[in-house]
Every structure is written in structure tokens, then in C-alpha cells.
Amino acid sequence: MLVSSETTQPLQFSNKTHNKKLYIPSLGLALVLLISLASPASSCTEQEKTSLLQFLIELSWDGGLAASWRNDTDCCKWEGITCRKDRTVANVVLVSKGLAGYISESLGNLTRLQHLNLSHNSLSGPLPPALVFSNSINILDVSFNRLNGILDKLPSSTSARSLQVLNISSNLFAGHLPSTTWKAMEKLVTLNASNNSFTGKMPTHFCSSSPSFAVVELCYNRFTGSIPPEFGSCSKLRILSAGHNHLSGTFPDELFNATSLEYLSFPHNILHGVLDGSRIIKLRNLITLDLGGNSFSGTIPDSIGQLKRLEKLQLNNNIMSGELPSGLGSCTKLITLDFGGNSFSGTIPDSIGQLKRLEQLHLNNNIMSGELPSGLGSCTKLITIDLKSNYFNGELMKVNFSTLSNLRILDLHINNFTGTIPESIYSCSNLIALQLSVNHFRGELSSRIGNLKYLSFFSIADNNITNITNTLHILKQCRNLNTLLIGHNFRGELMPEDDKIDGFQNLQVLGIGGCQLFGEIPLWLSKLENLVMLILSDNNLSGSIPAWIKALSNLFYLDISSNSITGEIPTSLMDMPMMKSEKTKAHLDMKVSELPADATLSLQYRIPIDLYKALDLSNNMLTGKIPMEIGQLKAVLSLNLSFNDLTWQIPESICDLTDLEVLDLSSNHLTGAIPAALNGLHSLSAFNVSNNDLEGPIPSGGQFDTFQNSIFDGNTKLCGTILHRNCSSAKVPQATILTKEEVFAIAFSAFFGVGVLYDQIFLSRFFLRTRR
Ligand SMILES: *[C@@H]1O[C@H](CO)[C@@H](O)[C@H](O)[C@H]1NC(C)=O
Ligand SMILES: *[C@@H]1O[C@H](CO)[C@@H](O)[C@H](O)[C@H]1NC(C)=O
Ligand SMILES: *[C@@H]1O[C@H](CO)[C@@H](O)[C@H](O)[C@H]1NC(C)=O
Ligand SMILES: *[C@@H]1O[C@H](CO)[C@@H](O)[C@H](O)[C@H]1NC(C)=O
Ligand SMILES: *[C@@H]1O[C@H](CO)[C@@H](O)[C@H](O)[C@H]1NC(C)=O
Ligand SMILES: *[C@@H]1O[C@H](CO)[C@@H](O)[C@H](O)[C@H]1NC(C)=O
Ligand SMILES: *[C@@H]1O[C@H](CO)[C@@H](O)[C@H](O)[C@H]1NC(C)=O
Ligand SMILES: *[C@@H]1O[C@H](CO)[C@@H](O)[C@H](O)[C@H]1NC(C)=O
Ligand SMILES: *[C@@H]1O[C@H](CO)[C@@H](O)[C@H](O)[C@H]1NC(C)=O
Ligand SMILES: *[C@@H]1O[C@H](CO)[C@@H](O)[C@H](O)[C@H]1NC(C)=O
Ligand SMILES: *[C@@H]1O[C@H](CO)[C@@H](O)[C@H](O)[C@H]1NC(C)=O
Ligand SMILES: *[C@@H]1O[C@H](CO)[C@@H](O)[C@H](O)[C@H]1NC(C)=O
């Protein structure tokens, strides 16, 4: 008899010899060969080999398994197969092998197979009942495949099922999971059916048939109805998890009899009711309670403090209210506390300082107020503090942030904090995100912020910080800064133009909007090579758009709207590499997951995750024509040139911007016709040419049939059915496609003084077309 561990023994003996490397394998191999030749019983049975080969044959893709699974070798030595001492197959573990096709029923013929793990493949088709109802298999894991079909058709009469662990998660199973399926599984301990498309009620009866039943994971399905009271009779149940379903109703009383529960997780359902203090404390073994994203109401009972094992308490996004109970401070094992998105009020109890293990504190989007308690400084393990969108106030003086050396994210966005930013924050040397925007912080930034070497996201937008020159000189020391949002501060200061502003080598997003800054678009910006997003809107910047702008080769979002910029739109702006190419995928290096959720979205405070390529030059004093080269900005989705003094025609090349969703040319002095081919821009959802001097017919068809007529207002010479103004007049330029001859005819007529402007349009249209 030979076990795999025994075959390695010759290797150990041979360790004592000198020329190991050559000697070991040959001796090992020789011994193995010798033994396997000498003893025929040392190979797996022909029947088991046949069953395995049958499995192999029925696969449509074997991921190279056939190289090892050869008929002329012992199947106990095949890849993924483990045999017992008596050469019967015990385990088949073929994880992440790229297998595709159907799972053969022949595996059910391996009469002593105990552990079958086929997870992380591309297997499809049904799960053979012979495996689920095998008399030998006790661990069956087929998770992360594409198995489908329904399980409620499985027979339920046969006896002596061995199955203990069934993982069918992350497949494409659908239909119901009726109780009858589980009745015969007397030994079932764990069922993991998450991430499928199961419907109907949650399955029950586990515990009446299987007294050891301990784990049920049903999240990411489409279960409906209420939580079955039968779970209350599961005396061994440790994990009950059914988040991301459509479960409704309240917690049944019986559930609180399942006192072994450690993990109770129902996030993202439509459950309601209150957290009854006298009931919840019966679940004294709870380690995780996750009820986020439901409709639970009422307050948090003070008795929650009796759940001494609690590590994770998530009640976020419900409609709970009231003050946080001081009893919470007794849950001293808490690591995660998430109460965000409710209507909790009052202050943070000072007892929070007892939560010495707390790593995550989320109280965002509530109506809490008052000052932060000094106790917070005792939670020295804190990694994330998210208090955004509340009414917290005061000067943050009570908290000694110096003690929070593990802090990585501090989000105080949208509160009523006042005073200067406390110096102690700059001792949190592990901070990666500091979000202080929309408060009433004032004064100059402290140079100590340069200590924050890992700081990647910093926003103090919309406060009352002063001295922008000082601010930028200080922040350039934060070498890892990726996103810097300082807009709506520094009111009326001068945009620093000194070339000593450098560094910022990792900066990708810079927002300095809404400051009423004077000066010009400064040259130092041209050194920020990694910039992808630049917001300078709502200042008093004058001068022209610099030609160096195209040096910002990664820029795909430029907003300089609402300034006093003069001059023409430079053609270099039409050479912005990222805006020209759809292929160069816009990307932010920032690890979004590590940042405050609201470190995302638009403009001053947040960044769009679906990075939107946009050019906004609106509300300035730009003159001249829209460059014909505008057609090069093929990747741009939003183009806003409104509220300027642009003249001439809308270049026909604008119709080349086929991805355009927003095109606003309103309130300029544009003349001529609206290019008819604009109706080919199928993504265009916002279009505005009002208050110009356009004339001729409004294009019809495509998106133009969906627009309201107000977007053409203030152009008395436009016509079309949408305006109830007839286009029959001969003066009106035809927006139809002309032949070469017609174009030339009209072009020549320009020399004779006929409608110069119209001709310009036709000429440019002609030349554009011939250039292609
Ligand atoms: C394996 O080999 C045996 C005899 O050597 C033969 O009878 C059997 O058909 C073969 N099986 C397969 C699947 O090729
Ligand atoms: C299982 O084994 C039996 C008896 O050896 C055989 O008749 C049957 O065809 C096998 N089933 C499969 C699916 O290989
Ligand atoms: C199956 O194998 C995977 C990968 O090794 C492992 O993560 C998983 O726990 C195994 N399944 C069971 C039920 O042991
Ligand atoms: C499948 O679920 C079981 C039990 O829940 C678990 O032990 C196993 O690790 C899971 N398999 C994978 C691949 O995660
Ligand atoms: C269920 O399986 C998934 C993999 O699909 C795994 O991530 C999860 O931890 C398992 N759940 C339990 C409770 O074991
Ligand atoms: C659900 O299954 C799909 C397909 O296997 C997988 O890509 C996805 O990561 C799974 N989701 C979860 C939450 O496990
Ligand atoms: C809970 O269990 C106790 C006995 O352990 C029993 O008296 C009570 O009726 C059960 N409650 C519910 C709601 O099932
Ligand atoms: C804040 O904490 C630091 C580090 O624990 C300590 O050195 C300092 O004295 C504390 N400051 C105050 C004002 O308590
Ligand atoms: C927040 O601050 C503003 C301005 O100081 C004040 O008007 C407002 O009442 C404050 N709100 C609360 C809830 O404290
Ligand atoms: C900002 O602070 C300055 C003094 O530092 C003060 O004069 C000014 O009124 C403040 N502005 C606002 C909007 O609070
Ligand atoms: C701004 O800060 C700089 C450098 O710290 C300093 O030299 C300058 O005087 C400050 N400006 C104002 C207006 O306070
Ligand atoms: C274009 O900019 C103007 C002025 O900044 C603004 O009012 C308008 O809403 C913008 N247009 C679109 C479609 O966003």
C-alpha cells in the first residue's frame, strides 16, 4: 500500500546524500515505479478511472487536464485527484482550471468520493442530482460557474444523504428552493446559495431535518416574502445571511430563539420594524448585525450594550432616529459601526471612547449636532471617521487627533464646524483622505499638513480659508496628493502666478473654482502633467486661454466657465490628446474604494466615477469663430460654449463629434444655418442654440425630434415646423446635401455678392467633405 505521503519518504532519506538534486528524483521515481509495478492493488480501480474519464470526455474544454488524466496511468496520480490508502478516490478538487461544459453524472459513480470542489470554472448546464444526493459526498462546492436550471426538481425520497456542505453560490440557478429539497439532507451543516437568481420564499426545514444545521447564505438572489419563523428552531444556527433580496415584513419573534446566531445579515431588503431591546439581547452571541438598506425605524436600544461580542453593527440607510445610546460604549469589541443615512440626532456620546477596537465609524447623513466628544480621541484604532452631512459644530478642539495614528479617512464634509483646522489632525500621519469641505473653517492652512505623506485626497472646498499662495506652497509638499479641491475659499485673492509652485507630481484632479480669483490662467499649471481634471470656474480670471494648454496631455475635463477670459478659442485646445481620442481611456489612479464615498461626483467636492470628458468655456468673453478643428475633439461628451461673444457659423465639423451628449452654443452671436447633419448625433440629449442669430431650417429627424422649441428661441430667422414657421422662403439656405456642382455654383455666386454667409457654410461643408 502506498499513500501519497509515503511516496515522499524516499526523498527524505535521500536528503542525507550529497548530490541531492540529481539523486532525489531518480531514486523517488525508481521506488514509485518499482512499487507500482510490483503491486497491482496500488492503482485506482478501472471503474473509477472510467467514471473520471467519462467526466473528462463530457467537458467541452478540459483546461489541459487530459495531459495528466491518461488512461494508461494510475488515476490516483492525476491532477486534482486524491485517493485513500485503499486507492479509492476521496477528493476531486479542480478549482480554477478553466473547465467548461457539463458536469457528468458519472462522478456520482465514484462510490467513496467525499469532497468535490469544482469552483471557479466555466461549467454550465444542470447540477446532476446524483451528486447532491450521493451517499458519499459530504462537501460539494460548484461555486463560481455558470450552472443553471432549477433545483426544486431534485428527488427527495432517497435516504442516507451525506452532504454536509453545499456551495452552489455564484451560478445561474433559478426557480424556488422548496423545503422538500432539504428534508432528506440530515447531515447538512452549510448551504451557500448566494449570488444566483432564486425566487420565492426563503427555504426552511433545514433544522427540523438536520439538527447540526449552522450556516445559510442566500444573499444576492430574488427571494421574497418574510423571514421564516422556522429559523428560530435552529439551535446550532450561527450564520443567517440573506442580504440583497426582496424580503419584507418584520423579524419573527421566533428568530430570537436562535441564540447561537453570530452573524445576522439582511442588508438591502425591504424589512421594517424596530430593534426591540428585550429581544435583540437574546442573541447574545451576535458578532455581526447588518441590517443596512432596509426600512427599520425607532431608536437604538440602550440594551445593545449587552451584546458584548458585537464586532460589526451596520444599521445604515434605514429610517432610524433618536440619540445614540450611551450603552453603545459597552460593546467594547466593536470594530465597525455604521449608522449612516438615518435621522439620528443629538451628539456623539462620550462613551464612544470605550470602543477601543473601533476601526470604522460612519454616522454620515444624519441630523446629528453638537461638538465632537473628547472620547473620540480614545478610539485609537480608528481607520475611518465618516461624519459627513450632519450639523456637527464647534471647533474640533476637544478631540486630540494626535492619538488617532491609524486614521486613514477623515470625512467631515458638510457640517457646521468652525475655527481653524486643529493642528492635531496633522499628526495623523497615515491619513490618505481628508475631506473638510462645506464647513466654516477659516484662517490659513498650517504648514504641518506637509507631514501627511500619504495624503491622496484633500478637500477644504467651500470654507473660509485664506491665502491661496501660501496654501499651494504648503500643499506641494504632499507628494502623493492626487485630488485637491480648494474652491470656494480665498475670496477675491490673486491667482498666484509665481513659478515656484511646482511639485504636485501626482495631482490628477485640481478644483479651484468659485474663488473670485483675479489674474490669469497661471503658467505653473502647465507643469501638472498628470492632471486629468481642471476646474477654474467662477473666478475673475482674465487674459486668453493659453496655447500651452495642450501640454496637459492627460486632461479630459476642463472647466473654465464663468470667468472673464477674452480672445479667440485657441486651436491648440483642439489638440488636447485625451479629448481627441476615445481610445485613450480616461483613468484615475486614485483608489476610489479607499476614499470617502462622496469623494466622488461632480465639480468642487466630488469626482465623477464614470469619467466624463467635457469642455466648458461658457460664460466668458471669448470672441471670434468656433474653430473648424473642433471636429477633432471626438471623445468629448459635453461641450459648452454658451454665453460668449462667438461669431460666424457653427462649423459643420461639429457634426463629427458623434459621442456628444451635451452641446450648448446659446447666447453668442452665431450666424448661418444649423448644420443639418447634427441630427446624426444620436447621443445628443441636451442641445441649445438659443439667443444667436441663426437662420434657415431646423434639422429634423434623430434627436431633433425630441427637443423642445425653446432651445431655438431668440433666433428670429430660424424656421421649421417645430417653430410653426414655414421654411418656404427662397432666401432660406437649404440644409440638404448638395452635389459638388451645386456647391461650386453657390460658392461662385459669393463673388457676385449673394449671401456671403450662407456660402461660407456650404464651402466649409464642401471642403470638409473632400478632405475626408
Ligand atoms: C482505457 O483502457 C482500457 C484498457 O487498456 C480500455 O478497455 C478502455 O476502453 C480505455 N478507456 C478509455 C476511456 O479510453
Ligand atoms: C455508473 O456505473 C454503472 C455500473 O458500473 C454504469 O452502468 C453506469 O453507466 C455508470 N454511470 C455513468 C453515468 O457513468
Ligand atoms: C474549494 O476550493 C477553493 C479554492 O481552493 C476554496 O477557497 C474553497 O474553500 C473550497 N471549498 C470548500 C467547500 O472547501
Ligand atoms: C463555498 O461555501 C463554503 C461554505 O460556505 C465555503 O467554505 C467555501 O469556501 C466557499 N467556496 C468558495 C470558492 O468560496
Ligand atoms: C459563500 O460563498 C461565497 C463564494 O461564492 C463566499 O464568498 C462566502 O464567504 C460564502 N459564505 C459563507 C457563509 O461561507
Ligand atoms: C456573482 O457571480 C458573478 C458571476 O460568477 C461574479 O462575477 C460576481 O463577482 C459574483 N458576485 C458576488 C457578490 O459574489
Ligand atoms: C423560544 O424557546 C422557548 C424555550 O426555549 C419557548 O418556550 C418559546 O415558546 C420559544 N419562543 C418562540 C417565539 O418560539
Ligand atoms: C494629544 O495626544 C498626544 C499623543 O498621545 C500627546 O502627546 C499630547 O500631549 C495630547 N495633547 C493634548 C492637548 O492632550
Ligand atoms: C450651521 O451654521 C450656519 C451658519 O453659521 C447657521 O446659520 C446654522 O444655524 C447652523 N446650523 C445648525 C443646525 O447648527
Ligand atoms: C471669512 O473670514 C474673513 C476673515 O478671516 C471674514 O472677514 C469674512 O467675513 C469671512 N467670510 C465668510 C463668508 O464667512
Ligand atoms: C500669504 O502667505 C505667504 C507665505 O506664507 C506670506 O508671505 C504672505 O504675506 C501671505 N499673504 C497674506 C495676504 O497674508
Ligand atoms: C452651459 O453653461 C451655462 C453657463 O455656465 C449654463 O448656464 C448652462 O446650464 C450650461 N449648459 C448645459 C447644457 O449644461
Side-chain angles (χ1 to χ4, degrees):
M1 298 248 180
L2 199 63
V3 204
S4 48
S5 66
E6 282 170 88
T7 61
T8 61
Q9 281 195 356
L11 300 183
Q12 284 172 8
F13 292 132
S14 64
N15 256 349
K16 287 165 192 157
T17 65
H18 290 298
N19 51 347
K20 289 180 215 163
K21 284 205 169 149
L22 280 171
Y23 191 63
I24 301 167
S26 50
L27 175 63
L29 191 65
L31 273 170
V32 169
L33 277 174
L34 195 70
I35 292 165
S36 57
L37 282 174
S39 123
S42 68
S43 174
C44 70
T45 67
E46 208 55 44
Q47 201 232 328
E48 297 213 306
K49 189 186 278 187
T50 308
S51 301
L52 286 168
L53 286 174
Q54 185 62 31
F55 166 75
L56 186 68
I57 285 164
E58 290 185 34
L59 294 174
S60 62
W61 181 252
D62 67 18
L65 213 53
S68 148
W69 287 33
R70 295 201 337 259
N71 193 359
D72 57 349
T73 57
D74 175 8
C75 76
C76 291
K77 304 221 174 67
W78 290 356
E79 185 178 350
I81 309 295
T82 320
C83 293
R84 289 188 192 75
K85 287 189 182 181
D86 67 1
R87 315 311 287 164
T88 53
V89 174
N91 304 334
V92 175
V93 178
L94 297 168
V95 178
S96 304
K97 297 285 184 233
L99 308 181
Y102 292 159
I103 302 177
S104 170
E105 214 162 325
S106 68
L107 288 179
N109 267 2
L110 301 168
T111 51
R112 298 195 56 203
L113 181 63
Q114 279 190 317
H115 182 169
L116 177 59
N117 192 340
L118 300 174
S119 66
H120 291 282
N121 284 295
S122 301
L123 298 164
S124 52
L127 179 60
L131 302 180
V132 183
F133 292 98
S134 136
N135 282 325
S136 64
I137 298 179
N138 48 43
I139 298 178
L140 178 54
D141 188 346
V142 291
S143 61
F144 294 99
N145 278 288
R146 298 192 197 126
L147 299 174
N148 55 31
I150 44 182
L151 293 178
D152 65 351
K153 292 283 151 52
L154 295 179
S156 61
S157 53
T158 27
S159 59
R161 276 14 151 321
S162 331
L163 205 59
Q164 293 173 5
V165 176
L166 177 61
N167 190 344
I168 52 174
S169 65
S170 295
N171 277 289
L172 305 170
F173 291 112
H176 294 191
L177 272 180
S179 308
T180 49
T181 312
W182 316 104
K183 265 192 182 144
M185 297 192 184
E186 294 158 2
K187 296 188 178 152
L188 196 65
V189 176
T190 299
L191 168 67
N192 192 341
S194 65
N195 200 13
N196 280 287
S197 298
F198 289 116
T199 52
K201 299 200 72 171
M202 280 173 79
T204 54
H205 279 84
F206 301 111
C207 304
S208 49
S209 40
S210 171
S212 321
F213 193 72
V215 176
V216 57
E217 166 89 89
L218 302 172
C219 60
Y220 293 101
N221 277 290
R222 295 181 205 149
F223 288 111
T224 52
S226 51
I227 300 170
E230 284 88 343
F231 283 115
S233 58
C234 295
S235 61
K236 298 272 171 59
L237 192 63
R238 285 189 301 109
I239 298 182
L240 175 55
S241 168
H244 298 268
N245 280 290
H246 307 303
L247 300 169
S248 54
T250 58
F251 276 135
D253 280 356
E254 291 84 351
L255 188 65
F256 299 97
N257 263 5
T259 52
S260 299
L261 269 176
E262 293 174 358
Y263 189 99
L264 184 61
S265 173
F266 283 93
H268 296 277
N269 279 290
I270 36 180
L271 298 167
H272 67 268
V274 297
L275 278 191
D276 183 310
S278 61
R279 286 193 187 126
I280 197 83
I281 57 170
K282 290 171 77 182
L283 303 181
R284 58 189 174 276
N285 288 306
L286 273 188
I287 295 172
T288 292
L289 179 61
D290 184 356
L291 306 177
N294 280 286
S295 295
F296 287 101
S297 54
T299 59
I300 298 174
D302 195 55
S303 59
I304 196 114
Q306 294 180 36
L307 301 179
K308 302 280 186 209
R309 296 184 68 191
L310 214 51
E311 292 179 5
K312 192 171 184 180
L313 181 55
Q314 290 194 266
L315 302 173
N316 55 298
N317 301 304
N318 279 286
I319 45 175
M320 300 186 71
S321 56
E323 302 198 2
L324 305 190
S326 61
L328 201 56
S330 305
C331 304
T332 52
K333 294 239 169 89
L334 268 182
I335 294 170
T336 300
L337 189 160
D338 187 352
F339 295 166
N342 283 284
S343 296
F344 290 117
S345 55
T347 59
I348 299 179
D350 199 49
S351 65
I352 195 135
Q354 295 165 32
L355 306 183
K356 305 280 186 219
R357 297 181 63 191
L358 199 63
E359 293 179 2
Q360 302 286 334
L361 176 63
H362 297 269
L363 299 173
N364 54 294
N365 301 83
N366 280 290
I367 50 173
M368 298 187 68
S369 56
E371 297 189 46
L372 299 191
S374 60
L376 198 56
S378 305
C379 307
T380 55
K381 291 269 166 65
L382 274 171
I383 294 170
T384 303
I385 299 178
D386 180 0
L387 305 179
K388 70 170 161 287
S389 298
N390 279 286
Y391 299 98
F392 289 116
N393 54 40
E395 297 208 354
L396 285 176
M397 294 314 283
K398 288 187 181 165
V399 185
N400 184 356
F401 286 94
S402 312
T403 56
L404 305 182
S405 57
N406 294 300
L407 202 60
R408 289 162 64 81
I409 295 176
L410 177 60
D411 191 348
L412 306 179
H413 180 45
I414 316 188
N415 276 287
N416 256 352
F417 290 114
T418 53
T420 54
I421 301 169
E423 289 278 313
S424 67
I425 285 185
Y426 307 127
S427 307
C428 303
S429 56
N430 286 306
L431 268 183
I432 57 165
L434 182 54
Q435 169 56 298
L436 304 176
S437 59
V438 200
N439 278 289
H440 307 292
F441 290 116
R442 59 179 160 70
E444 292 192 21
L445 206 62
S446 161
S447 64
R448 288 191 61 205
I449 198 169
N451 295 350
L452 304 181
K453 300 224 163 33
Y454 303 112
L455 196 65
S456 169
F457 179 101
F458 178 54
S459 176
I460 43 159
D462 215 336
N463 280 285
N464 194 6
I465 305 295
T466 50
N467 201 340
I468 186 172
T469 310
N470 184 42
T471 300
L472 290 168
H473 277 291
I474 287 170
L475 286 169
K476 70 183 187 188
Q477 301 164 52
C478 300
R479 306 253 165 216
N480 279 307
L481 212 52
N482 172 290
T483 300
L484 177 59
L485 304 173
I486 55 176
H488 294 272
N489 287 290
F490 320 110
R491 284 170 190 90
E493 294 185 20
L494 185 67
M495 172 66 93
E497 277 162 29
D498 77 81
D499 54 12
K500 290 200 201 75
I501 297 180
D502 50 15
F504 293 116
Q505 51 274 79
N506 291 306
L507 202 62
Q508 291 198 293
V509 178
L510 176 61
I512 324 184
C515 301
Q516 311 308 324
L517 296 176
F518 290 94
E520 299 196 359
I521 298 176
L523 182 62
W524 56 265
L525 285 175
S526 67
K527 290 185 283 187
L528 311 187
E529 287 171 2
N530 289 309
L531 220 50
V532 298
M533 212 169 167
L534 176 60
I535 300 157
L536 298 172
S537 55
D538 295 287
N539 283 298
N540 287 323
L541 299 177
S542 52
S544 54
I545 300 173
W548 53 253
I549 196 88
K550 70 175 180 190
L552 301 177
S553 60
N554 291 300
L555 201 68
F556 61 77
Y557 188 106
L558 176 62
D559 183 357
I560 48 180
S561 64
S562 300
N563 279 285
S564 304
I565 306 288
T566 51
E568 300 198 0
I569 299 173
T571 51
S572 61
L573 199 54
M574 308 299 140
D575 273 328
M576 304 284 293
M578 282 301 273
M579 299 200 192
K580 279 166 80 171
S581 174
E582 291 157 29
K583 287 187 200 98
T584 17
K585 195 93 179 105
H587 77 102
L588 270 175
D589 294 337
M590 193 172 51
K591 294 179 197 91
V592 175
S593 59
E594 289 193 328
L595 295 173
D598 267 37
T600 53
L601 210 196
S602 67
L603 301 177
Q604 286 303 308
Y605 320 113
R606 302 177 273 183
I607 308 154
I609 287 190
D610 53 337
L611 301 160
Y612 192 75
K613 297 194 175 184
L615 182 59
D616 191 347
L617 309 180
S618 67
N619 204 15
N620 278 291
M621 288 140 70
L622 294 167
T623 50
K625 52 185 144 189
I626 301 172
M628 198 168 71
E629 294 84 354
I630 195 113
Q632 295 171 17
L633 302 181
K634 287 206 177 10
V636 169
L637 302 181
S638 175
L639 181 63
N640 194 342
L641 305 178
S642 68
F643 294 94
N644 277 293
D645 294 317
L646 299 170
T647 49
W648 296 78
Q649 298 82 29
I650 302 171
E652 181 79 7
S653 58
I654 213 159
C655 304
D656 294 348
L657 306 182
T658 48
D659 289 344
L660 217 51
E661 293 170 13
V662 175
L663 177 59
D664 193 343
L665 305 175
S666 62
S667 298
N668 278 290
H669 311 293
L670 299 169
T671 53
I674 301 173
L678 274 175
N679 68 4
L681 304 186
H682 299 297
S683 305
L684 199 61
S685 56
F687 178 70
N688 197 344
V689 289
S690 62
N691 300 313
N692 278 291
D693 200 16
L694 298 166
E695 55 193 282
I698 289 169
S700 60
Q703 290 297 97
F704 275 78
D705 291 346
T706 66
F707 296 144
Q708 306 212 313
N709 57 7
S710 61
I711 64 168
F712 304 106
D713 282 356
N715 293 281
T716 49
K717 287 176 270 179
L718 281 177
C719 64
T721 43
I722 184 174
L723 300 180
H724 308 292
R725 204 183 293 144
N726 205 319
C727 285
S728 58
S729 160
K731 286 193 302 189
V732 165
Q734 292 300 299
T736 48
I737 294 168
L738 302 167
T739 65
K740 233 186 223 182
E741 287 76 8
E742 283 172 301
V743 171
F744 270 116
I746 297 165
F748 281 124
S749 71
F751 289 104
F752 300 100
V754 185
V756 178
L757 286 185
Y758 305 156
D759 303 337
Q760 197 73 31
I761 300 168
F762 295 129
L763 267 179
S764 63
R765 184 183 291 170
F766 170 70
F767 285 123
L768 277 171
R769 193 167 285 130
T770 49
R771 273 202 304 166
R772 276 196 213 140

